[in-house]
Amino acid sequence: MFNQDDGIRSELLAEYIRRSAPSPDLYDLFLRLYTITDYSAGVYGADLLQKLASGRSDEQIDRMNSALADYPEELPIYRGEAEGSTDYRQAFSWSLDINTAFFFACRHGDQNHARIIRARILKKDVIAFNLECKEKEILAVPGIPFEVTVERLIGPDSPLVMPPRYLDEYVKGIEQIRRLYKRHRKDITDHGQLHSARVLFLALAIIQAGKIKLNLTERTQLLIAIVFHDIGRRNDGVDDSHVKASREVYENNANSSAAPAVCFLIEYHCLDDKLAEEYLKSTDTIRARKRTWLLYQILKDADALDRVRFGIYDLDVNQLRLSITHKLVPLAVTAVTGIKI
């Protein structure tokens, strides 16, 4: 069975479980084979999983209880699905990590069918787990998780973002990005003009999908801040100093017309939110503080969404600020290869 592909291995193992008596060895064999299998988990029904759970030894149960001892009695669990995934009503694999759910919802395939399932489960109902791996996986008999909610994510064909309502702003911003990077003769690989183009696209998608009302001045300030936000970078590493360099490039280009709100957005776009909040509270150069804070959140979230260019796990959805943004992860994944300038 170890040498078979996922489909054949799963079918063989399911049949083997049907023909075998429950035992600790059968439980261990299932876990060993399951951990090397990516697909076809839907062949195991609730009856087979209950059979496996009933064969666990006291030692196996105690080991699991010990590993979960520091967790609450009710565990929040998550599952990511896409087209072709086993439906959560027949599935038994969940994660304690929301980012793992987004990984499985968006890792490949059609980004228009990505969905996140949230639920809860009692610790006593967990039949197996693997907390050592990045996925923080737990196994549960289908139908046992409760308070289940299904959230459809937003892909590139969603009516919430297509057709793009802010196409004129996007085209204008792309032209500005091209001219700026050509003038400064730089285009760092991971934080260059393609990154800025994607951040612009995602920021406009956040506004459109979130039905956020910005006036023309606010949209212009946001667009300019995105165009200039990384122009001061000298490398692709961690470099908090580039924000001041980027702001100075903007100020030199704008001269006396440099907007304080744009300077703030550029300089604080990759700094801690507390620092940005403290500055906004103390400054007397920005009057529309609440609206500028909204622009800041849009820019930060759009910039964060493009972290999927390094891999989906590089984005921590818990750090996103606006409620609409996490829904756009599939769109961000598509944008990595879909945006050209």
Side-chain angles (χ1 to χ4, degrees):
M1 286 193 281
F2 276 96
N3 293 327
Q4 305 304 318
D5 66 23
D6 286 358
I8 295 175
R9 182 189 303 117
S10 297
E11 292 285 355
L12 285 172
L13 182 56
E15 184 60 26
Y16 185 74
I17 295 170
R18 287 189 192 96
R19 298 186 182 198
S20 303
S23 71
D25 287 342
L26 184 65
Y27 176 79
D28 277 341
L29 175 64
F30 167 77
L31 293 182
R32 288 173 61 203
L33 290 168
Y34 171 73
T35 54
I36 63 169
T37 305
D38 285 330
Y39 302 102
S40 301
V43 301
Y44 307 103
D47 56 336
L48 293 187
L49 292 167
Q50 288 170 339
K51 182 177 183 179
L52 286 168
S54 70
R56 291 176 297 179
S57 66
D58 291 341
E59 181 182 353
Q60 289 169 329
I61 294 173
D62 289 343
R63 189 162 56 242
M64 187 175 70
N65 290 337
S66 176
L68 295 174
D70 293 334
Y71 288 85
E73 288 305 311
E74 283 188 15
L75 302 173
I77 54 176
Y78 312 94
R79 179 174 171 81
E81 295 180 358
E83 190 173 29
S85 297
T86 301
D87 187 275
Y88 71 92
R89 286 163 291 197
Q90 284 80 47
F92 57 85
S93 175
W94 298 78
S95 176
L96 297 176
D97 176 29
I98 184 66
N99 291 305
T100 293
F102 274 87
F103 172 78
F104 280 99
C106 305
R107 61 176 171 166
H108 54 65
D110 185 353
Q111 299 297 332
N112 290 301
H113 295 86
R115 54 194 177 271
I116 298 295
I117 297 91
R118 292 174 170 83
R120 302 184 72 80
I121 191 171
L122 298 177
K123 280 199 302 189
K124 68 179 182 62
D125 291 328
V126 175
I127 62 172
F129 64 89
N130 185 3
L131 304 183
E132 302 298 323
C133 70
K134 181 189 293 187
E135 296 174 9
K136 296 290 187 290
E137 184 180 26
I138 69 164
L139 304 186
V141 175
I144 292 297
F146 56 93
E147 293 182 12
V148 179
T149 61
V150 180
E151 179 182 35
R152 181 80 176 268
L153 304 183
I154 298 173
D157 293 343
S158 170
L160 292 173
V161 293
M162 290 297 293
R165 188 175 303 154
Y166 301 104
L167 185 58
D168 290 344
E169 282 93 337
Y170 177 72
V171 172
K172 181 180 179 181
I174 291 298
E175 287 304 316
Q176 291 180 0
I177 290 169
R178 281 183 180 139
R179 289 197 299 269
L180 181 65
Y181 277 85
K182 183 177 181 180
R183 187 185 316 138
H184 288 267
R185 296 180 179 178
K186 63 165 65 176
D187 193 12
I188 299 170
T189 303
D190 292 330
H191 296 85
Q193 56 182 332
L194 266 174
H195 164 64
S196 293
R198 290 192 297 266
V199 173
L200 174 62
F201 170 75
L202 293 169
L204 295 173
I206 289 171
I207 296 169
Q208 181 169 331
K211 299 180 181 178
I212 299 172
K213 296 185 182 300
L214 301 181
N215 60 39
L216 180 57
T217 298
E218 291 165 343
R219 292 201 305 272
T220 300
Q221 289 175 340
L222 179 61
L223 182 150
I224 294 172
I226 291 171
V227 169
F228 283 90
H229 82 285
D230 272 348
I231 192 62
R233 270 193 174 273
R234 296 181 179 179
N235 58 66
D236 280 322
V238 177
D239 178 18
D240 289 345
S241 66
H242 82 276
V243 294
K244 290 186 177 180
S246 297
R247 185 203 68 203
E248 289 171 1
V249 173
Y250 162 66
E251 290 174 331
N252 291 336
N253 276 264
N255 296 317
S256 60
S257 63
V262 176
C263 292
F264 162 75
L265 292 173
I266 295 172
E267 184 167 352
Y268 284 87
H269 80 269
C270 74
L271 301 183
D272 189 273
D273 286 359
K274 291 182 180 178
L275 295 175
E277 201 167 15
E278 288 172 3
Y279 176 82
L280 269 185
K281 287 179 179 178
S282 63
T283 185
D284 56 3
T285 61
I286 299 175
R287 294 182 180 178
R289 292 188 178 114
K290 287 186 178 180
R291 300 299 293 177
T292 302
W293 184 252
L294 175 60
L295 299 182
Y296 168 85
Q297 291 177 301
I298 295 170
L299 171 52
K300 291 273 280 193
D301 276 9
D303 199 21
L305 276 177
D306 195 44
R307 291 198 62 80
V308 299
R309 68 193 185 277
F310 304 121
I312 299 171
Y313 269 115
D314 270 87
L315 169 66
D316 183 357
V317 297
N318 296 303
Q319 301 298 317
L320 298 173
R321 295 151 188 83
L322 299 170
S323 59
I324 187 63
T325 309
H326 73 276
K327 290 176 175 283
L328 295 168
V329 175
L331 188 68
V333 172
T334 303
V336 172
T337 55
I339 296 293
K340 312 288 184 184
I341 65 172

